[in-house]
Amino acid sequence: MLRFKSKLSLCFIIFLITLIGVAVVYIKKDYSYDINQFKIHATIIADDVWAVNPAGAKPYLQLAMHVNSYKYLTVTHLSGEPFTHLTSPALPRLDQILSKLKLIWTKKISADIHFNGRIIGRIEGEKYVRVIYPLTNIMIFLLLIMITIVFFLYLYSNRKYLEQQISERTKNLQGSERRFHDLVNLLPEMVWEADYLGKITYANQIAMHRLGLSERLEQPVSWSSFVVPGLQQQAASYFEASLRGDDPGLKEFRLVSSGGGAFPVLLRSSPILEDEITVGTRFIAIDISDRHALEEQLRRAQKMKAIGLMAGGVAHDLNNILSGVINYPELMLIDLPDDSPLRRPLQAIRKSGLQAAAVVSDLLTVARGVAAVKVVIDPRSLIREYLDSPEFYQLTAFNPQLSVNTNFSADIHRISCSPVHVKKCLMNLVTNAFEAINGKGTITIATANRFITAEPDEGTSLAAGEYAVITVRDNGPGILAKDLKHIFEPFYTKKTMGRSGTGLGLAVVWNTMKDHDGTVTVTSDKNGTVFDLYFPRTQAQHTINKETADLAVYRGTGQTILVVDDEQQQRDIAIQVLSSLGYRVSSVASGEEAVACVQNTPFDLIVLDMIMGPGMNGRETYEKIIVISPGQKAIISSGFSRDTEVKTTQSLGARGFISKPYTMEQLAKIVFNGLHETVPDRHIP
């Protein structure tokens, strides 16, 4: 009965909507008809208006008023002068009542009178709108249709009532079962049921997919057969505990996927009861592969941090030691004649020191510090410089069967980078590619622009934006999957240590890219390996590199320099180098001594070591110095990296930074620039 009442209400609503719709359509058509009629009236009386013949137009207008129910009609000339005016008699009694009830209303209509394409006047009027009469007829017709429909609906509802009562219970049961299956299939976890013998009787879609059960459900299969060998006895014990009603809790197992690989899961189960009798067990398995991967990443990050701290400390000490190996030969070479037999061994010592410094630079890069100035440059020029380097020529000379191709994008973005370190990344990747190929092969170096969306691109966690990408591709045998996740770890190498590699090459690449706010990605299969270096695009202009090897340009004119360093050898080297360049040099061994010295004697420039022994470091020393001597010019020297302390010191006013070990030319340039650069009194933001 309730259903019938709802249908009756629906029919009534449809009736009202239909009636309103018909009324709206009818009124709109009536209005359009009235406009057209008014235009016709204007056309018919146009000749009489042109001839100024009101008597000729009046009979027609009287007929039009009667036929079209106009309250009045007024015709005027274009100048506004009246032509004629007609008024209709009073409305019949019924129409007057309907008019008071607003069921009959009036509307104003007007139209221009045209003659020979010209407007010669205007006809205006007010029309009685009597749509109530036709709409009443339409309403009666629709009401009869609705009554007929309601009658048939009443008969149909009574007929179907019992059938619906029966089918509703069946549908509810089927709906509940369907909702259960849908909800279970929507779960991201695997769900299955097993009978008392452990045979799988039901599995949701993800379990079917991960375990390859789509075809095997037709044949009874034990869930324990998907447990990796070695854990099946534990699985049997877990299953028995669940059947007994004991809560085995969460248990970690490794299952075999449909592809044959194993993956870790957390398993939870509960018994299936029918009439208080256990007939099986219901399982839910949570894939924890991502959690294991995150744990592995955390262990790797901790390992990298520990190695980085060790590498940074070792590099700092080695750089101080290597300063003597590099600088003393340079000082000796200045005084030796060109034909001296000592020149060659001294140059060899200096070269060995520079090569050792390059290895230390790798250690510093692993320690997440790139002690170098970044410049804006076209990445193609870096690749060309590397391809013209002696290291590359030596590599190709030992591997004549391998060819190197380039594929450069014509509109590659500019990047801000340390050219030395980027070329070192290229050298490491190309060297690895050469050593990966046995026999003939091809290595391709390419550049391209890529746009990264807001979503991380292929797990690289890059911020959205434009990037310049350098690609190194080889057609070697590829990298094994078990090795691929370890290749960026320091000292992880498949090469012969000490002969073909140190195990730092790809770690240097990884950390260099991180220091450049980019990333490196790698893909590898049997057809070869591809490394992509992502550099953020910069809008800055190209850096103009002005270099000269003539040290005379950087000679001093007696300016006073204070060298602050806790290493005696480093102080001696700096004193000899700077004295030979025409500066008056003093030195102290600690920050406290430097502050005391500045209180008594002004200096044109301070060469300040960043990391010193017990006592103040470089930043703390400079903070106290600028209180005594505001605007004091200083450059920073460090055997470690441009870390937070260095950046803070630079923000206080220190401009230059030079990494140890440095050459005479490097020291001469930075001291000269530090002396001739104006340093503001206030802190630099």
Side-chain angles (χ1 to χ4, degrees):
M1 201 64 184
L2 291 174
R3 282 181 166 276
F4 175 73
K5 289 182 178 180
S6 63
K7 291 181 179 178
L8 184 62
S9 301
L10 180 62
C11 288
F12 182 72
I13 293 171
I14 293 174
F15 167 75
L16 289 178
I17 293 173
T18 304
L19 180 61
I20 293 171
V22 170
V24 170
V25 172
Y26 185 86
I27 291 171
K28 285 185 176 181
K29 287 188 175 181
D30 184 68
Y31 181 78
S32 177
Y33 173 78
D34 290 340
I35 295 295
N36 291 333
Q37 283 295 109
F38 226 64
K39 291 180 179 179
I40 291 172
H41 299 334
T43 302
I44 291 174
I45 67 173
D47 292 338
D48 293 321
V49 174
W50 176 257
V52 193
N53 182 21
K58 190 171 183 179
Y60 173 78
L61 294 175
Q62 288 176 337
L63 179 62
M65 286 186 64
H66 176 73
V67 173
N68 297 119
S69 301
Y70 294 121
K71 185 176 181 180
Y72 70 85
L73 288 174
T74 300
V75 180
T76 58
H77 289 288
L78 183 61
S79 61
E81 181 183 351
F83 177 78
T84 185
H85 178 78
L86 300 174
T87 305
S88 67
L91 291 173
R93 183 67 179 170
L94 178 60
D95 286 356
Q96 291 180 11
I97 295 172
L98 294 175
S99 178
K100 290 180 180 180
L101 296 174
K102 303 299 182 181
L103 296 176
I104 293 178
W105 63 91
T106 61
K107 61 182 177 182
K108 292 183 179 181
I109 311 173
S110 62
D112 293 331
I113 301 172
H114 296 265
F115 185 81
N116 290 337
R118 294 171 50 196
I119 298 175
I120 62 173
R122 187 171 182 80
I123 180 170
E124 298 177 347
E126 193 171 356
K127 183 180 184 305
Y128 290 109
V129 181
R130 292 190 173 97
V131 295
I132 183 64
Y133 297 120
L135 289 179
T136 301
N137 294 332
I138 293 172
M139 182 182 69
I140 293 171
F141 176 74
L142 291 175
L143 188 60
L144 290 174
I145 292 176
M146 189 194 76
I147 292 172
T148 303
I149 292 173
V150 169
F151 177 72
F152 281 105
L153 285 176
Y154 177 77
L155 294 178
Y156 180 79
S157 297
N158 279 309
R159 177 186 172 186
K160 293 293 183 179
Y161 180 72
L162 292 176
E163 295 178 1
Q164 290 176 352
Q165 289 295 314
I166 295 171
S167 63
E168 279 180 4
R169 291 182 178 271
T170 304
K171 289 180 179 178
N172 288 337
L173 182 61
Q174 293 174 344
S176 297
E177 185 177 356
R178 184 173 59 254
R179 283 193 297 273
F180 168 77
H181 286 291
D182 289 345
L183 288 172
V184 171
N185 284 327
L186 286 173
L187 289 174
E189 291 82 18
M190 294 176 286
V191 176
W192 69 82
E193 295 177 353
D195 61 17
Y196 200 85
L197 298 176
K199 305 296 183 183
I200 295 178
T201 57
Y202 167 79
N204 67 348
Q205 289 181 356
I206 191 168
M208 301 272 280
H209 173 71
R210 294 298 303 275
L211 303 178
L213 290 170
S214 56
E215 298 178 359
R216 299 176 64 178
L217 270 182
E218 299 177 359
Q219 299 293 329
V221 56
S222 175
W223 75 271
S224 61
S225 65
F226 295 103
V227 179
V228 296
L231 296 177
Q232 292 182 347
Q233 183 59 43
Q234 297 180 29
S237 301
Y238 183 86
F239 181 61
E240 291 172 2
S242 180
L243 289 175
R244 290 194 304 268
D246 300 336
D247 184 7
L250 284 170
K251 182 72 174 179
E252 184 171 339
F253 289 95
R254 291 185 65 82
L255 302 183
V256 179
S257 67
S258 57
F263 61 98
V265 297
L266 280 178
L267 204 61
R268 186 69 187 265
S269 66
S270 64
I272 301 173
L273 302 177
E274 291 184 4
D275 298 328
E276 303 301 325
I277 299 175
T278 301
V279 297
T281 301
R282 185 173 293 114
F283 294 89
I284 182 168
I286 305 170
D287 188 345
I288 55 174
S289 299
D290 290 341
R291 192 180 80 175
H292 278 206
L294 289 174
E295 291 174 352
E296 177 62 28
Q297 289 179 11
L298 178 59
R299 284 193 294 268
R300 178 180 175 183
Q302 291 172 339
K303 178 180 177 182
M304 292 285 284
K305 182 179 180 180
I307 293 175
L309 291 173
M310 179 201 70
V314 172
H316 175 264
D317 293 338
L318 284 176
N319 276 332
N320 285 327
I321 296 171
L322 289 173
S323 295
V325 179
I326 295 172
N327 297 133
Y328 281 127
E330 286 183 327
L331 292 169
M332 294 173 69
L333 286 168
I334 293 175
D335 299 327
L336 284 177
D338 293 340
D339 58 350
S340 173
L342 295 177
R343 292 193 68 85
R344 185 170 181 179
L346 286 173
Q347 289 171 343
I349 293 171
R350 179 179 178 276
K351 182 179 179 182
S352 297
L354 291 173
Q355 291 173 341
V359 176
V360 174
S361 177
D362 289 345
L363 287 172
L364 285 175
T365 305
V366 171
R368 292 304 315 278
V370 176
V373 177
K374 293 181 181 179
V375 299
V376 178
I377 198 168
D378 186 330
R380 293 172 296 188
S381 64
L382 293 175
I383 298 173
R384 294 189 184 102
E385 287 178 18
Y386 167 66
L387 295 179
D388 289 335
S389 68
E391 292 84 0
F392 179 74
Y393 285 134
Q394 183 179 7
L395 195 62
T396 54
F398 283 110
N399 300 272
Q401 293 180 310
L402 300 181
S403 60
V404 177
N405 300 328
T406 57
N407 183 14
F408 294 157
S409 172
D411 58 345
I412 190 68
H413 298 321
R414 295 187 298 272
I415 62 175
S416 176
C417 70
S418 165
V420 173
H421 288 84
V422 174
K423 285 188 285 187
K424 187 64 179 290
C425 289
L426 283 171
M427 183 185 73
N428 290 340
L429 294 177
V430 173
T431 301
N432 283 354
F434 266 85
E435 294 179 349
I437 301 175
N438 294 321
K440 293 183 178 180
T442 303
I443 299 168
T444 302
I445 305 176
T447 63
N449 296 328
R450 292 183 191 171
F451 181 79
I452 303 299
T453 60
E455 293 296 327
D457 182 61
E458 299 177 356
T460 62
S461 70
L462 282 175
E466 294 181 277
Y467 290 84
V469 182
I470 299 176
T471 300
V472 178
R473 178 186 293 105
D474 67 66
N475 60 354
I479 303 172
L480 296 177
K482 65 182 181 66
D483 295 325
L484 197 60
K485 60 183 179 180
H486 297 293
I487 60 173
F488 293 112
E489 295 179 4
F491 309 114
Y492 185 87
T493 179
K494 293 298 182 180
K495 306 174 185 179
T496 303
M497 188 67 72
R499 182 175 63 85
S500 59
T502 62
L504 290 175
L506 292 180
V508 168
V509 174
W510 174 271
N511 286 290
T512 297
M513 295 310 300
K514 288 299 180 184
D515 286 321
H516 285 76
D517 298 322
T519 194
V520 53
T521 63
V522 56
T523 56
S524 186
D525 55 29
K526 63 181 181 180
N527 297 317
T529 303
V530 180
F531 285 89
D532 288 321
L533 306 180
Y534 285 79
F535 294 89
R537 179 186 184 181
T538 181
Q539 300 293 342
Q541 297 298 317
H542 281 282
T543 301
I544 300 175
N545 187 21
K546 297 181 179 179
E547 294 186 354
T548 177
D550 187 4
L551 293 182
V553 176
Y554 302 106
R555 290 188 63 83
T557 56
Q559 293 95 330
T560 57
I561 297 177
L562 176 64
V563 176
V564 184
D565 201 299
D566 60 340
E567 291 286 337
Q568 178 65 49
Q569 177 177 276
Q570 197 68 44
R571 296 197 301 273
D572 292 343
I573 291 172
I575 290 172
Q576 292 187 51
V577 170
L578 293 174
S579 297
S580 68
L581 292 171
Y583 299 106
R584 290 183 292 148
V585 189
S586 301
S587 69
V588 292
S590 68
E592 290 80 2
E593 292 181 39
V595 173
C597 192
V598 171
Q599 285 179 332
N600 300 320
T601 306
F603 290 92
D604 295 313
L605 180 71
I606 297 176
V607 180
L608 182 60
D609 187 18
M610 201 67 231
I611 302 174
M612 293 183 281
M616 294 189 297
N617 63 14
R619 175 188 59 79
E620 295 167 336
T621 302
Y622 191 65
E623 284 178 343
K624 292 185 179 298
I625 287 175
I626 58 177
V627 173
I628 301 168
S629 176
Q632 174 65 59
K633 295 179 180 180
I635 61 172
I636 302 167
S637 172
S638 177
F640 186 44
S641 65
R642 190 189 298 268
D643 57 9
T644 305
E645 291 285 88
V646 173
K647 294 176 182 177
T648 303
T649 309
Q650 289 180 312
S651 70
L652 296 173
R655 287 304 194 191
F657 178 85
I658 185 170
S659 60
K660 301 176 185 178
Y662 43 73
T663 64
M664 286 184 63
E665 182 180 348
Q666 291 170 339
L667 184 60
K669 287 181 180 179
I670 197 164
V671 167
F672 183 86
N673 292 334
L675 284 168
H676 295 84
E677 182 178 12
T678 302
V679 180
D681 291 341
R682 295 186 179 181
H683 295 176
I684 299 171

